[in-house]
Amino acid sequence: MSGTSDGPAPAADLARSVVTESDNESPPHERTPPAAAARTQPGVEARTFRATFAAAPLPMAVVDREGLVVTANDTLAALLGAGPDGLTGRIAADLVDLASDARTWHAYREVLRGRQARLRCTRRLKHPDGHSLWVQVTVSPLPEEERAVLLSVSDISARHELQARLRHLQMHDPVTRLPNRTLFFERLSAALEPEAYEESGTGRIGVCYLDVDGFKAVNDTLGHRVGDRLLAAVAERLTRCADEAGYARTATPLVARLGGDEFALLVEDSTGTEQLAELAESVLGSLQAPFDLSGQRLSVSASIGVVERRAAGTTPTGLMQAADTTLYWAKADGKSRWTLFDPERNAHRMTRQALSSGLRPAIERGEFALEYQPLVGMEDGGVHGVEALVRWNHPQFGTLTPNRFIGLAEEDGSIVQLGRWVLATACKQARRWQLDHPDVPPVFVSVNVAVRQVWDSDLVADVATILAETGLAPHLLQLELTESAVMGSAGRPLQALQALSDMGVRIAIDDFGTGYSNLAYLSRLPVSVLKLDGSFVRGFQYEDAGDRSNPADEVIVEALIQLAHRLGLTVTAECVETSGQASRLRRIGCDTGQGWLYSRPVAPDRISALLTAEDCPQT
Ligand code: C2E
Ligand code: MG
Ligand code: MG
């Protein structure tokens, strides 16, 4: 049993060798005086050091090269809950759990064999009385002592607990006591490590990303304390939902507060969208009952973005971005609901984003081009003018029509720059045609102008400059504005319209009839042309089918044209596609037509060709 059967205890040897060494190395004034030397006889020394070892506050043991405890001090015995002599002869590795992981075990063996200088590791031990403790174990060779190593154990339970508590604080939200964003992302990242899902489980992951509707109003009107209480109460209900979902499955979803009024429920090993939908449904249900916050009764709802997908190929940020987008949809679709991630809707959003961010550089790179669509006189069939329509030759998405990007350009303000380019290019082109075809009456160019151009740029100055630079006469330029841009205009926009009109530039109201314009009011504005929206003309399409046509449309349009004429406006019909429509429009007095019947929007040289044909009608 005992590893100390032969000769004196190695600990005593050790003690002696250390004393000898320290005596030799001490500076002269510290050398042991002769009187003291008498007291440091070998036997005395051994006893002293044995006593010191036994009483040392650091728990220690001397372990032989076979790994058996030669001697251990009382502190170690107390720490491990063993009797005074209970440790001698025991396998040291078992006492402090050195064999449970391969790396530590290997390092320990190396130290025992004298091939490694030291081993230090942290271990969780079970005390015989039931409590567990965290210790730091150090094993190092004894100097001058071939046959043994010193094992020391320090109790770091207090430090460890403090660290754990600190970590808990760092990882949890104080208001709701839920895991916070940091812990959420730590768990999410771990769940998306291939080792986590490849070996077992469904290989899928899901998240419900929730935002309390109208929380800001609660905070603003009732104060932050009520707001905090509400968040804590919401957290409680979410936790209950997660627990209930957990009963039915193997694992409980992790509920976390990601910040503000945003929460997330993470479902590892999800089984499919149904599971997440069920969870989202139960969460919405759980929030329906009003909250009683110390006297304040509050009803709230929430919006939830739900994403469920394969774990492989999913990144934490990718998943949360999708969840964020989906939450945004849930809000945009009317709040108080859950919405499932839709890849197509997302692709559309991505395209919007890609387009929007690419607008300004595209203007500089010259990716825009204009097509022109003839505006044809109803009586003579001649090309009187052309409307300039912008196209974006996108390097990635091909040719884009304005409906795809004009709205975006208006949103981010790049319409001002784009609009200026359109205006300059169209005027230059109109002047070019005029110079190239001196024998035909010059065609005017009609340019679409967005509301924001009237508000945010000096449209009047831009127009004046461009006309001066290109040499185009002002009456050969027409600007198309929508009803909404002109209606109720006062101040700056009205002044701008007036200044342009005074300059001789014509103003047309585009898509007329789609808004709520009052014709009498319009006539008081400096407007000279109404462009009748295509929807009116569409009602004419059954001319050839006789009884299937809608006479009401025709009556309305006829009255409208007559009224416009009486107010001094001319009328252009958009979207004329059939000769039937054209002849009826002509009959009721429409002045100009535009549409596929005459020509699609075309490149400038095609307009040149049309004008050449008009140059010499006989060819
Ligand atoms: P809009 O000013 O009403 O232009 C007429 C639109 O109707 C054009 O579409 C044209 O291609 C289309 N169209 C012409 N004839 C027919 C027809 O017979 N049948 C049908 N179904 N459609 C016809 P596009 O080129 O896609 O332009 C759409 C809108 O984009 C324009 O409507 C205009 O509001 C806007 N837009 C175009 N270019 C510009 C521009 O340079 N600046 C601004 N601010 N807006 C522009
Ligand atoms: Mg137009
Ligand atoms: Mg139009």
Side-chain angles (χ1 to χ4, degrees):
M1 225 4 221
S2 166
T4 58
S5 48
D6 48 19
D13 284 353
L14 155 78
R16 195 171 304 118
S17 73
V18 172
V19 167
T20 316
E21 205 175 12
S22 88
D23 271 353
N24 289 345
E25 284 182 358
S26 300
H29 65 274
E30 281 181 12
R31 290 251 169 88
T32 319
R39 269 184 271 126
T40 57
Q41 293 309 305
V44 180
E45 273 174 26
R47 269 204 309 282
T48 308
F49 276 89
R50 214 191 288 267
T52 310
F53 177 78
L58 179 68
M60 285 185 286
V62 175
V63 176
D64 69 16
R65 296 283 171 182
E66 307 304 314
L68 300 179
V69 175
V70 176
T71 179
N73 65 5
D74 292 349
T75 340
L76 182 63
L79 184 73
L80 301 179
D85 265 335
L87 296 178
T88 309
R90 300 267 301 268
I91 299 167
D94 291 351
L95 295 176
V96 288
D97 187 29
L98 294 180
S100 65
D101 82 88
R103 269 182 54 191
T104 307
W105 176 241
H106 176 75
Y108 173 60
R109 306 280 303 160
E110 292 293 288
V111 176
L112 285 185
R113 286 183 195 135
R115 286 193 244 162
Q116 184 174 317
R118 196 171 75 152
L119 159 72
R120 175 169 280 178
C121 60
T122 302
R123 282 289 179 272
R124 184 169 187 228
L125 303 179
K126 194 105 182 144
H127 194 274
D129 75 5
H131 78 272
S132 58
L133 64 157
W134 285 90
V135 294
Q136 189 171 65
V137 180
T138 309
V139 186
S140 51
L142 284 166
E144 308 282 315
E145 176 50 71
E146 301 278 288
R147 286 168 296 169
V149 297
L150 182 68
L151 179 142
S152 61
V153 182
S154 42
D155 184 354
I156 55 163
S157 300
R159 192 194 337 153
H160 203 273
E161 190 166 313
L162 185 68
Q163 272 171 348
R165 220 179 298 156
L166 275 176
R167 193 182 134 78
H168 185 88
L169 279 179
Q170 269 167 8
M171 296 288 184
H172 288 77
D173 158 50
V175 174
T176 61
R177 294 167 196 273
L178 288 180
N180 64 11
R181 195 178 184 85
T182 315
L183 182 51
F184 177 82
F185 272 91
E186 200 174 282
R187 276 281 295 273
L188 176 59
S189 306
L192 291 175
E193 287 291 333
E195 304 85 69
Y197 57 79
E198 269 171 2
E199 296 297 309
S200 63
T202 60
R204 302 189 68 84
I205 191 151
V207 68
C208 288
Y209 189 12
L210 175 148
D211 182 295
V212 181
D213 298 328
F215 178 73
K216 194 178 170 308
V218 174
N219 243 354
D220 290 350
T221 54
L222 302 173
H224 286 260
R225 281 180 43 169
V226 177
D228 281 358
R229 264 187 237 136
L230 175 62
L231 290 176
V234 167
E236 233 166 72
R237 293 197 189 171
L238 296 184
T239 307
R240 213 176 311 140
C241 282
D243 287 344
E244 276 162 19
Y247 285 136
R249 319 259 171 186
T250 45
T252 303
L254 172 79
V255 185
R257 180 180 175 207
L258 299 191
D261 56 345
E262 287 170 14
F263 297 86
L265 290 94
L266 178 69
V267 182
E268 293 175 48
D269 284 325
S270 57
T271 51
T273 49
E274 299 80 36
Q275 186 191 354
L276 270 291
E278 237 171 68
L279 180 61
E281 200 61 66
S282 82
V283 165
L284 288 184
S286 80
L287 297 178
Q288 256 166 12
F291 290 86
D292 197 346
L293 308 172
S294 45
Q296 296 268 14
R297 256 172 97 77
L298 268 181
S299 287
V300 297
S301 63
S303 304
I304 308 177
V306 178
V307 185
E308 202 280 336
R309 51 176 62 164
R310 278 164 51 104
T314 298
T315 62
T317 30
L319 185 73
M320 291 318 288
Q321 261 167 15
D324 186 53
T325 303
T326 316
L327 171 60
Y328 170 78
W329 294 337
K331 293 231 169 229
D333 291 350
K335 300 186 180 169
S336 185
R337 69 191 58 219
W338 62 269
T339 298
L340 191 63
F341 180 74
D342 173 358
E344 259 182 46
R345 195 168 170 184
N346 189 49
H348 185 245
R349 180 189 71 103
M350 300 277 276
T351 316
R352 261 179 78 86
Q353 244 173 24
L355 288 184
S356 174
S357 59
L359 265 165
R360 280 172 206 273
I363 300 171
E364 273 142 36
R365 280 198 302 267
E367 286 174 11
F368 291 93
L370 294 184
E371 284 188 332
Y372 299 88
Q373 190 175 29
L375 300 164
V376 175
M378 284 301 209
E379 283 304 326
D380 60 9
V383 179
H384 293 190
V386 291
E387 177 175 2
L389 295 160
V390 66
R391 280 39 185 143
W392 183 355
N393 297 318
H394 195 285
Q396 200 180 336
F397 303 119
T399 302
L400 302 177
T401 57
N403 296 334
R404 295 286 298 278
F405 59 86
I406 289 289
L408 295 174
E410 286 202 72
E411 274 168 35
D412 77 355
S414 52
I415 190 71
V416 170
Q417 199 185 344
L418 178 61
R420 203 176 286 136
W421 178 86
V422 169
L423 196 63
T425 309
C427 290
K428 204 189 293 171
Q429 184 58 59
R431 179 68 179 149
R432 183 81 263 134
W433 285 317
Q434 194 184 0
L435 296 174
D436 288 351
H437 306 276
D439 300 330
V440 292
V443 292
F444 68 88
V445 68
S446 193
V447 175
N448 294 284
V449 173
V451 198
R452 218 172 149 167
Q453 279 176 270
V454 187
W455 276 103
D456 290 3
S457 71
D458 200 346
L459 186 64
V460 182
D462 285 348
V463 168
T465 312
I466 288 168
L467 290 179
E469 279 173 6
T470 56
L472 190 72
H475 75 272
L476 293 179
L477 175 63
Q478 173 172 297
L479 298 180
E480 298 189 11
L481 286 103
T482 56
E483 286 176 65
S484 54
V486 186
M487 274 307 287
S489 59
R492 189 185 165 104
L494 186 57
Q495 281 167 16
L497 292 190
Q498 194 59 58
L500 290 164
S501 172
D502 292 347
M503 216 186 278
V505 172
R506 246 178 314 154
I507 308 292
I509 301 300
D510 202 355
D511 305 334
F512 180 78
T514 53
Y516 301 93
S517 319
N518 173 331
L519 252 187
Y521 172 79
L522 274 184
S523 70
R524 288 200 294 276
L525 299 177
V527 170
S528 44
V529 180
L530 287 190
K531 291 192 75 178
L532 209 56
D533 189 67
S535 53
F536 286 100
V537 179
R538 222 158 281 137
F540 287 12
Q541 64 195 356
Y542 301 120
E543 155 83 10
D544 301 331
D547 53 22
R548 275 198 295 151
S549 65
N550 185 349
D553 276 334
E554 191 171 329
V555 172
I556 292 169
V557 176
E558 187 171 6
L560 208 81
I561 293 174
Q562 281 173 6
L563 188 58
H565 283 169
R566 235 176 282 152
L567 293 168
L569 303 165
T570 62
V571 179
T572 301
E574 296 180 345
C575 292
V576 184
E577 295 180 0
T578 68
S579 55
Q581 291 168 337
S583 58
R584 295 176 76 182
L585 284 164
R586 193 181 313 116
R587 203 164 58 221
I588 59 176
C590 185
D591 306 284
T592 312
Q594 173 183 6
W596 298 344
L597 173 67
Y598 310 107
S599 167
R600 300 242 171 186
V602 292
D605 53 344
R606 296 284 301 280
I607 299 291
S608 279
L610 275 178
L611 296 177
T612 310
E614 287 191 7
D615 264 342
C616 18
Q618 60 274 56
T619 57

